[in-house]
Amino acid sequence: MIEIKSKREIELMKEACRITALVHKELEKAIKPGITTLELDMLAESIIRKNGGIPAQKGYPSEEKGVKNFPATICASVNDEVIHGIPSRKVVLKDGDIISIDFVTCKDGYNGDAARTHIVGKASEEDKKLIEVTKQAFFEGIKFAKPGYRIGDISFAIQQYVEKNGFSVVKEFQGHGIGRLMHEDPGIPNYGKPGKGPKIEAGMTLAIEPMVIAGKPDVWELDDGWTIASQDGTKAAHYENTVLITEKEAKVLTLY
Ligand code: MG
């Protein structure tokens, strides 16, 4: 069931999203060669808690048996890792890396979800293009995130834009509704057909999140049971915001 949020719920969503955006801004400043992904994780958690929020992903259960709950505040996915990378003191960022950071803040029972990919130090032109195309794919998608369209219109726009630029969308993972739960209906794939899927209505809150690989679309899971990486070893980027559907347009709640 797709929930339509009340005015009060939308105000609570906005506050959770504000904190998420603020943390992303601070993380962007902190990312540089020599910092570990565990340090970034600790920074994110401290800012979330200072603002009265809770890191919603920490302790998130795996769907697989025998895999420990997600242990951290942020997902930190480096280079060929697409999503769900576990922060570690062993992962030291170096010049030329790219890092995707994805996390959810919960405040007063409502969630705000966003992801960004950043360059560490100096990036290649190819990596810059990958990150830019992934971001722009989100904005291409939300042109259709308004009443009168369906979820498939968003999916199609994202896929078309990414593939036109010579990259691949990940098909195994998708965007989602968000609110009291981190993951609500509907699922929002990054590929699809126009005119298909649920109707979009004012009052929906959606996390739309292109996940893009420079090479082939295939992914696999690493031995930690969480990290998803490209099979061909090429780099990946991720760009996500929580948006509110209004009568006229999609309002992005997690921008700073
Ligand atoms: Mg996310």
Side-chain angles (χ1 to χ4, degrees), residues 57 102-104 113-115 176 209 238 240:
Q57 290 176 166
D102 181 15
F103 63 91
V104 182
D113 189 356
H176 48 90
E209 49 175 325
H238 188 193
E240 174 182 31

Side-chain angles (χ1 to χ4, degrees), residues 12-220:
L12 292 169
M13 293 285 302
K14 282 182 181 170
E15 172 59 8
C17 289
R18 183 193 67 81
I19 300 169
T20 295
L22 172 70
V23 173
H24 269 301
K25 182 178 145 193
E26 294 303 318
L27 289 174
E28 182 173 11
K29 287 190 221 161
I31 288 169
K32 54 177 185 287
I35 198 164
T36 68
T37 54
L38 184 65
E39 287 173 289
L40 295 173
D41 187 69
M42 289 162 64
L43 175 63
E45 179 166 1
S46 75
I47 302 168
I48 289 171
R49 294 201 189 277
K50 251 184 237 162
N51 282 273
I54 296 166
Q57 290 176 166
K58 203 168 190 175
Y60 197 80
S62 169
E63 287 164 13
E64 291 165 67
K65 266 198 181 147
V67 174
K68 63 180 181 186
N69 294 354
F70 194 80
T73 294
I74 63 170
C75 295
S77 309
V78 180
N79 294 333
D80 59 313
E81 297 171 358
V82 188
I83 49 169
H84 303 169
I86 301 175
S88 166
R89 66 166 64 85
K90 290 181 197 151
V91 180
V92 184
L93 296 182
K94 57 185 195 306
D95 198 38
D97 283 343
I98 66 171
I99 179 170
S100 300
I101 294 176
D102 181 15
F103 63 91
V104 182
T105 303
C106 184
K107 187 169 180 191
D108 297 328
Y110 286 82
N111 291 285
D113 189 356
R116 300 284 184 271
T117 300
H118 298 290
I119 287 159
V120 183
K122 264 212 185 102
S124 68
E125 287 308 310
E126 174 75 359
D127 291 348
K128 278 188 207 163
K129 184 185 169 193
L130 174 68
I131 292 168
E132 203 42 52
V133 165
T134 306
K135 178 179 178 179
Q136 188 55 34
F138 166 86
F139 289 98
E140 295 299 319
I142 66 165
K143 289 177 183 170
F144 301 92
K146 52 188 174 187
Y149 292 102
R150 289 174 182 266
I151 294 296
D153 295 304
I154 300 174
S155 303
F156 180 73
I158 290 172
Q159 180 182 20
Q160 288 296 106
Y161 185 77
V162 168
E163 293 180 352
K164 191 178 76 186
N165 279 282
F167 300 135
S168 302
V169 290
V170 172
K171 294 187 171 167
E172 286 84 349
F173 298 88
Q174 61 182 4
H176 48 90
I178 180 165
R180 276 176 297 179
L181 298 178
M182 198 193 305
H183 297 122
E184 298 184 351
D185 288 337
I188 310 168
N190 292 310
Y191 68 101
K193 293 201 170 74
K196 300 284 182 193
K199 276 186 184 166
I200 297 166
E201 289 175 48
M204 290 180 177
T205 43
L206 307 174
I208 298 170
E209 49 175 325
M211 294 163 235
V212 177
I213 295 175
K216 295 203 177 80
D218 312 272
V219 293
W220 54 24

